[in-house]
């Protein structure tokens, strides 16, 4: 797309544009976590708190979504409230949905996939979220593999998450990322965190201990002209992590119910997330909120290091 034509469909919020222009740190945030990942009103409260956390760290937040056919890099508080209240009524927008949603002037909640895509179009390099999609259990039959993995393979954005939930096949998810050339880094750990818990029994490629090193690895990937993104897995803080047996049981129960009800395709992940929340009586939601805040802090520090390293060079 010609850049002038693209501009008709991409709306960068003034404060985000200003930060990017003056090489100040910006952190992208997704909107499916708001509309499909958490219930109202906690979703909106969390989204606002995440933005505030990023500002307190000295970076600019850019919540990404599609609103009335426009790709937004930076949503207003009213837009976040709108997406949160509408919830699952907003179309969950992955890569394949983008042309339809834009051509029809619809709203779309961006997943990790489309948040990366829009962040990259806007020039944002770091993105904080909760968990990513991956290879689902039983994917050898269903072929249910999240488009998030393909986007990580082809879009140069660093995604800071808390690992992946064991609703997925974590081993196969790591294999897939290896095939696609995506570095998987553990922040302060060699073990892949499993979202609600700090441990999964699987190893990441490398342990990295500082935001500065994360930024250096990102810049090196650019220097090498590689098209891929980077996955940073940041374990949930100890005090908010869940009991492994409790969460494993909830996940098994949710998976069994999804199977019984024939849930499939794009409905699978939101169904499992909501079910797990119900089974754990809301405990999982508290953990979920805390880990997103934790990721927002690390993403902000890394975005700051990126800007600092570039100024120095
Ligand atoms: N995992 C979570 N919370 C989420 C999601 C995944 O723990 O909110 C959302 C993200 O937007 C992710 C999407 O990109 O689900 C993946 O959906 P699918 O599995 O259909 O690709
Ligand atoms: Mn899927």
């Amino acid at each position: 797309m010609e850049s002038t034509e693209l501009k008709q469909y991409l709306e960068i919020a003034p404060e985000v544009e200003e930060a990017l222009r003056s090489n100040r740190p910006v952190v992208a945030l997704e909107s499916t976590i708001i509309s499909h990942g958490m219930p109202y009103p906690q979703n909106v409260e969390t989204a606002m708190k995440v933005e505030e956390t990023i500002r307190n760290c000295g970076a600019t937040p850019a919540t990404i979504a599609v609103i009335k056919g426009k790709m937004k890099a930076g949503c207003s508080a009213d837009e976040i409230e709108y997406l949160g209240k509408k919830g699952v009524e907003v179309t969950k927008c992955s890569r394949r949905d983008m042309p339809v949603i834009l051509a029809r002037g619809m709203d779309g909640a961006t997943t990790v996939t489309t948040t990366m895509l829009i962040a990259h179009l806007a020039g944002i390099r770091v993105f904080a979220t909760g968990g990513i999609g991956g290879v689902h259990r039983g994917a050898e039959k269903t072929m249910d593999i999240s488009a998030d993995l393909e986007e990580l393979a082809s879009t140069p954005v660093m995604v800071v998450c808390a690992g992946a939930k064991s609703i997925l096949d974590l081993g196969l998810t790591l294999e897939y990322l290896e095939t696609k050339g995506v570095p998987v880094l553990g922040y302060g750990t060699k073990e892949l965190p499993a979202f609600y818990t700090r441990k999964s029994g699987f190893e990441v490629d490398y342990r990295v201990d500082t935001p500065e090193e994360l930024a250096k690895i990102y810049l090196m990937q650019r220097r090498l002209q590689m098209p891929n993104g980077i996955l940073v897995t940041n374990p949930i803080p100890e005090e908010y992590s869940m009991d492994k047996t409790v969460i494993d049981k909830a996940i098994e129960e949710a998976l069994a119910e999804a199977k019984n009800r024939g849930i499939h395709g794009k409905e699978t992940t939101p169904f499992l997330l909501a079910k797990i929340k119900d089974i754990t009586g809301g405990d999982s939601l508290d953990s979920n909120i805390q880990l997103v805040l934790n990721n927002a802090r690390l993403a902000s520090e890394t975005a700051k290091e990126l800007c600092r390293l570039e100024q120095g060079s």
Side-chain angles (χ1 to χ4, degrees):
M1 207 187 285
E2 291 287 327
S3 70
T4 45
E5 204 182 324
L6 179 62
K7 285 213 176 91
Q8 289 177 36
Y9 300 101
L10 176 64
E11 286 182 6
I12 306 181
E15 67 163 332
V16 173
E17 182 136 52
E18 175 56 27
L20 291 169
R21 203 182 8 240
S22 41
N23 189 34
R24 281 188 283 113
V26 177
V27 174
L29 299 162
E30 61 156 305
S31 44
T32 293
I33 193 176
I34 304 175
S35 60
H36 291 67
M38 291 183 192
Y40 182 79
Q42 287 95 335
N43 55 359
V44 173
E45 283 161 22
T46 305
M48 296 313 295
K49 215 189 266 174
V50 174
E51 288 212 343
E52 188 189 321
T53 301
I54 292 170
R55 286 183 213 284
N56 289 342
C57 290
T60 301
T63 297
I64 290 183
V66 179
I67 295 188
K68 295 190 174 51
K70 303 275 190 226
M71 299 182 284
K72 297 267 181 184
C75 285
S76 66
D78 283 351
E79 288 166 336
I80 289 173
E81 171 75 23
Y82 169 75
L83 292 167
K85 224 175 191 165
K86 231 175 138 190
V88 294
E89 298 299 311
V90 184
T91 305
K92 177 179 160 189
C93 180
S94 191
R95 181 175 262 268
R96 63 156 184 195
D97 305 288
M98 287 282 284
V100 184
I101 303 286
L102 262 69
R104 291 187 173 173
M106 289 167 66
D107 299 326
T110 54
T111 61
V112 168
T113 301
T114 42
T115 303
M116 288 179 77
L117 193 152
I118 296 171
H120 180 54
L121 288 174
I124 304 170
R125 300 174 292 182
V126 184
F127 161 22
T129 187
I132 59 155
V135 180
H136 279 264
R137 295 200 206 170
E140 62 275 16
K141 281 227 172 73
T142 63
M143 287 182 73
D144 189 352
I145 299 173
S146 175
D148 293 355
L149 302 183
E150 287 299 320
E151 205 64 38
L152 279 161
S154 58
T155 302
V157 170
M158 177 178 266
V159 180
V160 180
C161 71
K165 291 193 178 75
S166 53
I167 56 173
L168 303 173
D169 187 318
L170 299 181
L172 291 187
T173 300
L174 289 174
E175 291 293 347
Y176 200 93
L177 289 167
E178 181 192 354
T179 302
K180 296 290 180 173
V182 178
V184 180
L185 310 177
Y187 190 67
T189 180
K190 188 79 177 52
E191 184 158 346
L192 175 74
F195 199 87
Y196 299 116
T197 55
R198 294 170 61 85
K199 292 189 185 308
S200 66
F202 292 94
E203 282 213 336
V204 295
D205 303 337
Y206 296 96
R207 170 181 171 152
V208 176
D209 289 303
T210 61
E212 181 184 10
E213 203 192 351
L214 291 176
K216 282 184 174 165
I217 293 168
Y218 180 87
L219 292 174
M220 188 57 73
Q221 202 186 38
R222 303 289 70 74
R223 232 170 264 141
L224 296 172
Q225 299 186 16
M226 289 175 160
N228 328 77
I230 293 177
L231 187 65
V232 178
T233 63
N234 186 26
I236 183 170
E238 190 80 61
E239 63 268 40
Y240 301 113
S241 75
M242 292 186 71
D243 185 277
K244 191 174 173 334
T245 45
V246 171
I247 195 67
D248 283 353
K249 196 166 159 280
I251 287 171
E252 292 302 336
E253 222 178 299
L255 283 166
E257 183 159 347
K259 197 170 175 195
N260 282 340
R261 290 173 54 168
I263 306 285
H264 64 277
K266 69 196 287 190
E267 314 299 336
T268 302
T269 299
F271 177 86
L272 293 172
L273 298 181
K275 200 73 220 167
I276 291 165
K277 195 215 97 201
D278 289 349
I279 297 168
T280 60
D283 280 2
S284 66
L285 182 59
D286 295 338
S287 296
N288 200 340
I289 293 168
Q290 292 302 329
L291 64 85
V292 176
L293 294 172
N294 191 46
N295 296 340
R297 285 186 286 267
L298 180 57
S300 301
E301 294 309 323
T302 305
K304 278 159 69 177
E305 284 301 317
L306 271 177
C307 294
R308 190 183 64 82
L309 289 168
E310 281 175 331
Q311 248 138 29
S313 67

